[in-house]
Amino acid sequence: MACITLHLPENRSLKGKRSVLKSLIEKIRHRYNAAIAEVDDHDLWQQAKLGLALVSNDSQLLDAMITKIIRYIEDQHVAQVVDSQVELWHW
């Protein structure tokens, strides 16, 4: 599980934020088969918090996938990752 905080410096409205996030979230869902959603900062137009969940029996794979997803977000050049908190759960 990860919480990723984004800064959207080019964004000027909540409508623009929704558009950017909707596109980004759909790309991540499709490309990485990840559960992802905006989880906080709904009313801030230049900041977003995304919750990300992946399931695997291999913690190294999960860590690598989360790193790839964060890098993918940065490579899209629509948002800057300003913070990420990762928590791996083991059963």
Side-chain angles (χ1 to χ4, degrees), residues 29-42:
R29 283 181 181 153
H30 177 73
R31 186 177 188 110
Y32 296 100
N33 196 26
I36 185 168
E38 183 181 10
V39 295
D40 201 0
D41 296 336
H42 301 283

